[in-house]
């Protein structure tokens, strides 16, 4: 067995272990959580996990959120789980939102990723929010289209320096965001 085969096997085992550890919990949003009005208006949308009326996103109670994929939900005192609560609900409805709005799926995904960033910068420094956003941009499309296991492979590219060339935008224009009522649910 060659060194490349052994190294590849070790990497796959490490990724599987990290994946299982990261996926051992979910988060339940207990009450509807409204985000500030978006700076750029979007059409209304009414779905199971998200409603959008007059450019205000309301995340509905559910346990669709599994936290930040292959990244800590909390870094020191900075909570990134709140950004994941909104983002996971939006990702659960990406296809339906794209269809309802008549937008390409790629545009809706970019918009949802920017919503993550907009919440994250209210809870963490810009550099950390941007790092998470880059991971989402690199792996989110793969995770949505093919399945979350492949996202782990794409995120390796982020660690190696490939995070995309674009820059996130704050869709809330710096408005403050209320804290949601949520709890962690262990599996």
């Amino acid at each position: 067995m060659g060194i490349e085969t052994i190294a590849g096997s070790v990497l796959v085992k490490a990724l599987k272990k990290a994946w299982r550890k990261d996926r051992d919990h979910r988060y339940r949003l207990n009450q509807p959580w409204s985000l500030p009005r978006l700076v750029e208006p979007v059409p209304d949308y009414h779905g199971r996990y998200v409603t959008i009326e007059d450019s205000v996103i309301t995340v509905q109670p559910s346990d669709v959120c599994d936290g930040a994929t292959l990244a800590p939900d909390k870094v020191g005192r900075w909570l990134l789980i709140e950004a994941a609560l909104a983002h996971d609900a939006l990702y659960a409805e990406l296809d339906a939102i794209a269809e309802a709005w008549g937008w390409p799926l790629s545009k809706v995904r970019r918009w949802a990723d920017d919503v993550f960033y907009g919440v994250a910068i209210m809870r963490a420094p810009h550099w950390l929010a941007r790092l998470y956003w880059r991971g989402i941009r690199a792996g989110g499309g793969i995770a949505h289209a093919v399945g979350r296991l492949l996202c782990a492979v794409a995120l390796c590219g982020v660690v190696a320096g490939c995070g995309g060339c674009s820059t996130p935008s704050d869709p809330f224009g710096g408005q403050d965001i209320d804290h949601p009522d949520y709890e962690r649910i262990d599996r």
Side-chain angles (χ1 to χ4, degrees):
M1 189 182 295
I3 189 88
E4 295 87 10
T5 305
I6 294 170
S9 176
V10 169
L11 176 61
V12 168
K13 286 179 184 175
L15 284 173
K16 284 182 181 179
K17 182 178 179 181
W19 183 264
R20 280 191 300 272
K21 184 177 183 330
D22 189 54
R23 304 294 89 201
D24 71 349
H25 60 276
R26 297 190 77 72
Y27 292 88
R28 176 184 300 132
L29 184 63
N30 296 315
Q31 300 292 324
W33 177 40
S34 293
L35 304 177
R37 185 174 314 280
L38 297 162
V39 173
E40 295 292 324
V42 296
D44 287 353
Y45 172 79
H46 298 275
R48 162 69 183 92
Y49 302 112
V50 174
T51 59
I52 303 168
E53 293 181 359
D54 297 325
S55 297
V56 174
I57 301 167
T58 301
V59 183
Q60 299 301 323
S62 74
D63 65 354
V64 71
C65 181
D66 58 7
T69 302
L70 291 178
D73 297 331
K74 181 180 179 185
V75 178
R77 60 184 160 89
W78 302 311
L79 287 175
L80 291 138
I81 182 57
E82 294 183 9
L85 284 165
H87 189 257
D88 285 4
L90 289 167
Y91 258 51
E93 300 201 38
L94 278 183
D95 294 315
I97 293 170
E99 184 177 328
W101 290 357
W103 288 11
L105 184 62
S106 61
K107 183 176 178 181
V108 176
R109 189 173 80 77
R110 168 64 191 244
W111 172 80
D113 295 348
D114 284 352
V115 168
F116 175 95
Y117 178 76
V119 175
I121 61 174
M122 296 297 162
R123 305 298 187 238
H126 286 257
W127 65 265
L128 185 58
R130 183 173 292 208
L131 178 67
Y132 273 64
W133 178 86
R134 287 189 183 278
I136 290 166
R137 291 302 302 150
I142 294 169
H144 179 71
V146 180
R148 291 184 176 259
L149 184 57
L150 292 179
C151 184
V153 175
L155 288 177
C156 288
V158 173
V159 174
C162 172
C165 299
S166 57
T167 302
S169 63
D170 174 9
F172 306 112
Q175 299 174 71
D176 195 24
I177 297 174
D178 293 331
H179 291 280
D181 174 11
Y182 69 94
E183 62 186 312
R184 180 178 161 160
I185 306 166
D186 292 328
R187 290 186 194 194

